[in-house]
Amino acid sequence: MKSSAPVAEGWAREDLEALSAKGLRRVLEPLDSPQGAEVRLGDERLINFSSNDYLGLAASPAVRAAAVSALERYGVGTGASRLVVGDMVPHQQLEARLARFERAQAVRLFNSGYAANTGILPALVGPGDAVFSDALNHASLVDGCRLSRARVVVYPHAEAGALARALADTPARRKLVVTDSVFSMDGDVAPLRELVAACEAHGAALMVDEAHATGVLGARGAGLCEALGLEDRVDLRMGTLSKALGGLGAYVATSRAVADLLVSRARPFVYSTALPAALCAAAACAVDLVEHDPAPRERLWGHIHRFTEGLRSLGLPAEPRSAIFPVILGEPARALDAAKRLREEGLLVKAIRPPTVPEGTSRLRFCLSAAHSTDHIDLALEALRRLGVTREAC
């Protein structure tokens, strides 16, 4: 009998060729070092401007020590979902610690931000309801909207007036508005005061994804809602443990009733093996550091202002709103070429391409960290200058 390749392999090869032709194929490049301002990738030592480790806590000695201590006591795996036998004391301790940090009635843990967003939305709304989503929301929120089976209304990016009109014009049993606070690819922030007002005027609930704001914004590092004094007026605030907190996982800060409902309704919570206890202990330590030691956050904001002024000196638009700075180059090939040339200069700045960003907006995405030095910041700016990345070139 004549042998043939598996059918799916043929599909995959066809799709991979199409992605390669468009400059959209992705590849993996494993680091041989901890996350940090400088990383080792193969034989290269590179200054890392692509990590979301905003406060440099991923390799913090204190955070690592907390994880090791819990690992020795509780082991590696949890063996089951939290509803079966995977719920451990560190899970409960971390939820209580995060609730105090967020000044919320309750917190519910998830294994990732993606799991949180795809679990929370379907737990709250469904057929007969409507969910209103910013046009540039993260893919996890987009997928959560789709999975909810509610009517999805996409409003123009950061336009609170358009949202208010959509809320007024859309009949639904329940109305839920979802938005990032800091948008991960552009680094801009949502007009939260106006969004809160629109929701209150039209009886809608509001969920804010604080993934890229937690640890970075606010006097205590609790995010944009804290910075604006809106904690009590936002129904759900989602944060991750995997960015400024340096670990893995996510959580939602909300009311006790909503947190209790998620235990029964949020499928990623119900059907996923629980986070390892060591990661919970590491996250609790990281929250203590974020809340009680403002120095790393202050250092990060010093870098943000320095980088902003440097980009402006190149004629590039830049605002000190977050630790994320896009340099938009247009087509995928231009972004890939610029990333390659920066790498030759010793800088790791990944090219971001569709579908992560809209067509025609492929870019370099610089992420700053408290672990960077001012020399790192200046080297990045000088490399951009040498590459001719200016407003005219873009």
Side-chain angles (χ1 to χ4, degrees), residues 272-292:
S272 294
T273 297
L275 282 170
L279 291 177
C280 295
C285 176
V287 172
D288 286 342
L289 294 175
V290 167
E291 187 166 26
H292 299 303

PDB file of all heavy atoms in Angstrom, residues 272-292:
ATOM      1  N   SER A 272      -9.438  23.422  35.248  1.00  0.00           N
ATOM      2  CA  SER A 272      -7.980  23.459  35.130  1.00  0.00           C
ATOM      3  C   SER A 272      -7.328  23.031  36.438  1.00  0.00           C
ATOM      4  O   SER A 272      -7.774  23.415  37.529  1.00  0.00           O
ATOM      5  CB  SER A 272      -7.488  24.871  34.779  1.00  0.00           C
ATOM      6  OG  SER A 272      -7.922  25.256  33.504  1.00  0.00           O
ATOM      7  N   THR A 273      -6.241  22.276  36.333  1.00  0.00           N
ATOM      8  CA  THR A 273      -5.430  21.977  37.505  1.00  0.00           C
ATOM      9  C   THR A 273      -4.931  23.283  38.109  1.00  0.00           C
ATOM     10  O   THR A 273      -4.539  24.208  37.390  1.00  0.00           O
ATOM     11  CB  THR A 273      -4.242  21.085  37.118  1.00  0.00           C
ATOM     12  OG1 THR A 273      -4.747  19.836  36.622  1.00  0.00           O
ATOM     13  CG2 THR A 273      -3.332  20.818  38.301  1.00  0.00           C
ATOM     14  N   ALA A 274      -4.940  23.370  39.419  1.00  0.00           N
ATOM     15  CA  ALA A 274      -4.613  24.618  40.107  1.00  0.00           C
ATOM     16  C   ALA A 274      -3.153  25.013  39.898  1.00  0.00           C
ATOM     17  O   ALA A 274      -2.281  24.172  39.653  1.00  0.00           O
ATOM     18  CB  ALA A 274      -4.899  24.474  41.595  1.00  0.00           C
ATOM     19  N   LEU A 275      -2.892  26.308  40.012  1.00  0.00           N
ATOM     20  CA  LEU A 275      -1.519  26.805  39.974  1.00  0.00           C
ATOM     21  C   LEU A 275      -0.665  26.114  41.032  1.00  0.00           C
ATOM     22  O   LEU A 275      -1.139  25.845  42.145  1.00  0.00           O
ATOM     23  CB  LEU A 275      -1.494  28.311  40.261  1.00  0.00           C
ATOM     24  CG  LEU A 275      -1.884  29.286  39.160  1.00  0.00           C
ATOM     25  CD1 LEU A 275      -2.020  30.680  39.758  1.00  0.00           C
ATOM     26  CD2 LEU A 275      -0.857  29.281  38.042  1.00  0.00           C
ATOM     27  N   PRO A 276       0.595  25.853  40.740  1.00  0.00           N
ATOM     28  CA  PRO A 276       1.482  25.330  41.781  1.00  0.00           C
ATOM     29  C   PRO A 276       1.562  26.265  42.974  1.00  0.00           C
ATOM     30  O   PRO A 276       1.584  27.502  42.818  1.00  0.00           O
ATOM     31  CB  PRO A 276       2.836  25.226  41.066  1.00  0.00           C
ATOM     32  CG  PRO A 276       2.494  25.048  39.626  1.00  0.00           C
ATOM     33  CD  PRO A 276       1.258  25.897  39.424  1.00  0.00           C
ATOM     34  N   ALA A 277       1.626  25.690  44.152  1.00  0.00           N
ATOM     35  CA  ALA A 277       1.677  26.496  45.375  1.00  0.00           C
ATOM     36  C   ALA A 277       2.906  27.394  45.398  1.00  0.00           C
ATOM     37  O   ALA A 277       2.863  28.511  45.924  1.00  0.00           O
ATOM     38  CB  ALA A 277       1.673  25.574  46.591  1.00  0.00           C
ATOM     39  N   ALA A 278       4.012  26.930  44.806  1.00  0.00           N
ATOM     40  CA  ALA A 278       5.239  27.736  44.791  1.00  0.00           C
ATOM     41  C   ALA A 278       5.027  29.048  44.045  1.00  0.00           C
ATOM     42  O   ALA A 278       5.561  30.096  44.434  1.00  0.00           O
ATOM     43  CB  ALA A 278       6.378  26.942  44.160  1.00  0.00           C
ATOM     44  N   LEU A 279       4.249  29.012  42.970  1.00  0.00           N
ATOM     45  CA  LEU A 279       3.973  30.236  42.220  1.00  0.00           C
ATOM     46  C   LEU A 279       3.093  31.186  43.023  1.00  0.00           C
ATOM     47  O   LEU A 279       3.232  32.408  42.916  1.00  0.00           O
ATOM     48  CB  LEU A 279       3.323  29.905  40.884  1.00  0.00           C
ATOM     49  CG  LEU A 279       4.226  29.209  39.860  1.00  0.00           C
ATOM     50  CD1 LEU A 279       3.430  28.861  38.603  1.00  0.00           C
ATOM     51  CD2 LEU A 279       5.413  30.081  39.507  1.00  0.00           C
ATOM     52  N   CYS A 280       2.186  30.637  43.805  1.00  0.00           N
ATOM     53  CA  CYS A 280       1.348  31.481  44.660  1.00  0.00           C
ATOM     54  C   CYS A 280       2.188  32.183  45.720  1.00  0.00           C
ATOM     55  O   CYS A 280       2.011  33.383  45.980  1.00  0.00           O
ATOM     56  CB  CYS A 280       0.256  30.646  45.325  1.00  0.00           C
ATOM     57  SG  CYS A 280      -0.945  29.933  44.174  1.00  0.00           S
ATOM     58  N   ALA A 281       3.113  31.453  46.329  1.00  0.00           N
ATOM     59  CA  ALA A 281       3.976  32.052  47.342  1.00  0.00           C
ATOM     60  C   ALA A 281       4.870  33.115  46.731  1.00  0.00           C
ATOM     61  O   ALA A 281       5.102  34.179  47.333  1.00  0.00           O
ATOM     62  CB  ALA A 281       4.820  30.966  48.009  1.00  0.00           C
ATOM     63  N   ALA A 282       5.384  32.852  45.521  1.00  0.00           N
ATOM     64  CA  ALA A 282       6.215  33.839  44.838  1.00  0.00           C
ATOM     65  C   ALA A 282       5.421  35.110  44.556  1.00  0.00           C
ATOM     66  O   ALA A 282       5.918  36.233  44.747  1.00  0.00           O
ATOM     67  CB  ALA A 282       6.758  33.253  43.538  1.00  0.00           C
ATOM     68  N   ALA A 283       4.179  34.949  44.107  1.00  0.00           N
ATOM     69  CA  ALA A 283       3.346  36.101  43.791  1.00  0.00           C
ATOM     70  C   ALA A 283       3.024  36.914  45.040  1.00  0.00           C
ATOM     71  O   ALA A 283       3.015  38.153  45.002  1.00  0.00           O
ATOM     72  CB  ALA A 283       2.061  35.655  43.104  1.00  0.00           C
ATOM     73  N   ALA A 284       2.756  36.243  46.151  1.00  0.00           N
ATOM     74  CA  ALA A 284       2.460  36.962  47.392  1.00  0.00           C
ATOM     75  C   ALA A 284       3.661  37.804  47.813  1.00  0.00           C
ATOM     76  O   ALA A 284       3.510  38.954  48.256  1.00  0.00           O
ATOM     77  CB  ALA A 284       2.081  35.972  48.487  1.00  0.00           C
ATOM     78  N   CYS A 285       4.859  37.243  47.661  1.00  0.00           N
ATOM     79  CA  CYS A 285       6.075  37.998  47.972  1.00  0.00           C
ATOM     80  C   CYS A 285       6.209  39.200  47.041  1.00  0.00           C
ATOM     81  O   CYS A 285       6.547  40.309  47.474  1.00  0.00           O
ATOM     82  CB  CYS A 285       7.289  37.077  47.857  1.00  0.00           C
ATOM     83  SG  CYS A 285       8.873  37.916  48.112  1.00  0.00           S
ATOM     84  N   ALA A 286       5.940  38.994  45.751  1.00  0.00           N
ATOM     85  CA  ALA A 286       6.047  40.076  44.775  1.00  0.00           C
ATOM     86  C   ALA A 286       5.071  41.203  45.094  1.00  0.00           C
ATOM     87  O   ALA A 286       5.416  42.389  44.963  1.00  0.00           O
ATOM     88  CB  ALA A 286       5.803  39.543  43.369  1.00  0.00           C
ATOM     89  N   VAL A 287       3.854  40.865  45.512  1.00  0.00           N
ATOM     90  CA  VAL A 287       2.872  41.897  45.868  1.00  0.00           C
ATOM     91  C   VAL A 287       3.382  42.723  47.046  1.00  0.00           C
ATOM     92  O   VAL A 287       3.257  43.958  47.066  1.00  0.00           O
ATOM     93  CB  VAL A 287       1.507  41.258  46.204  1.00  0.00           C
ATOM     94  CG1 VAL A 287       0.554  42.305  46.764  1.00  0.00           C
ATOM     95  CG2 VAL A 287       0.907  40.620  44.970  1.00  0.00           C
ATOM     96  N   ASP A 288       3.984  42.067  48.039  1.00  0.00           N
ATOM     97  CA  ASP A 288       4.559  42.798  49.167  1.00  0.00           C
ATOM     98  C   ASP A 288       5.608  43.794  48.687  1.00  0.00           C
ATOM     99  O   ASP A 288       5.645  44.950  49.133  1.00  0.00           O
ATOM    100  CB  ASP A 288       5.194  41.818  50.162  1.00  0.00           C
ATOM    101  CG  ASP A 288       4.169  41.052  50.977  1.00  0.00           C
ATOM    102  OD1 ASP A 288       3.003  41.492  51.035  1.00  0.00           O
ATOM    103  OD2 ASP A 288       4.533  40.008  51.544  1.00  0.00           O
ATOM    104  N   LEU A 289       6.472  43.338  47.771  1.00  0.00           N
ATOM    105  CA  LEU A 289       7.521  44.219  47.265  1.00  0.00           C
ATOM    106  C   LEU A 289       6.931  45.398  46.499  1.00  0.00           C
ATOM    107  O   LEU A 289       7.375  46.539  46.654  1.00  0.00           O
ATOM    108  CB  LEU A 289       8.468  43.422  46.361  1.00  0.00           C
ATOM    109  CG  LEU A 289       9.302  42.332  47.039  1.00  0.00           C
ATOM    110  CD1 LEU A 289      10.087  41.541  45.999  1.00  0.00           C
ATOM    111  CD2 LEU A 289      10.252  42.942  48.073  1.00  0.00           C
ATOM    112  N   VAL A 290       5.941  45.126  45.659  1.00  0.00           N
ATOM    113  CA  VAL A 290       5.326  46.188  44.861  1.00  0.00           C
ATOM    114  C   VAL A 290       4.672  47.232  45.756  1.00  0.00           C
ATOM    115  O   VAL A 290       4.828  48.446  45.541  1.00  0.00           O
ATOM    116  CB  VAL A 290       4.289  45.592  43.887  1.00  0.00           C
ATOM    117  CG1 VAL A 290       3.412  46.684  43.285  1.00  0.00           C
ATOM    118  CG2 VAL A 290       4.984  44.806  42.783  1.00  0.00           C
ATOM    119  N   GLU A 291       3.966  46.779  46.765  1.00  0.00           N
ATOM    120  CA  GLU A 291       3.194  47.712  47.595  1.00  0.00           C
ATOM    121  C   GLU A 291       4.064  48.501  48.563  1.00  0.00           C
ATOM    122  O   GLU A 291       3.785  49.679  48.843  1.00  0.00           O
ATOM    123  CB  GLU A 291       2.116  46.956  48.370  1.00  0.00           C
ATOM    124  CG  GLU A 291       1.167  47.876  49.109  1.00  0.00           C
ATOM    125  CD  GLU A 291      -0.087  47.177  49.595  1.00  0.00           C
ATOM    126  OE1 GLU A 291      -0.054  45.956  49.825  1.00  0.00           O
ATOM    127  OE2 GLU A 291      -1.117  47.864  49.730  1.00  0.00           O
ATOM    128  N   HIS A 292       5.130  47.870  49.067  1.00  0.00           N
ATOM    129  CA  HIS A 292       5.881  48.502  50.155  1.00  0.00           C
ATOM    130  C   HIS A 292       7.234  49.058  49.737  1.00  0.00           C
ATOM    131  O   HIS A 292       7.896  49.726  50.548  1.00  0.00           O
ATOM    132  CB  HIS A 292       6.072  47.502  51.305  1.00  0.00           C
ATOM    133  CG  HIS A 292       4.777  47.022  51.888  1.00  0.00           C
ATOM    134  ND1 HIS A 292       3.836  47.893  52.394  1.00  0.00           N
ATOM    135  CD2 HIS A 292       4.256  45.774  52.023  1.00  0.00           C
ATOM    136  CE1 HIS A 292       2.785  47.196  52.833  1.00  0.00           C
ATOM    137  NE2 HIS A 292       3.020  45.919  52.620  1.00  0.00           N
TER     138      HIS A 292
END
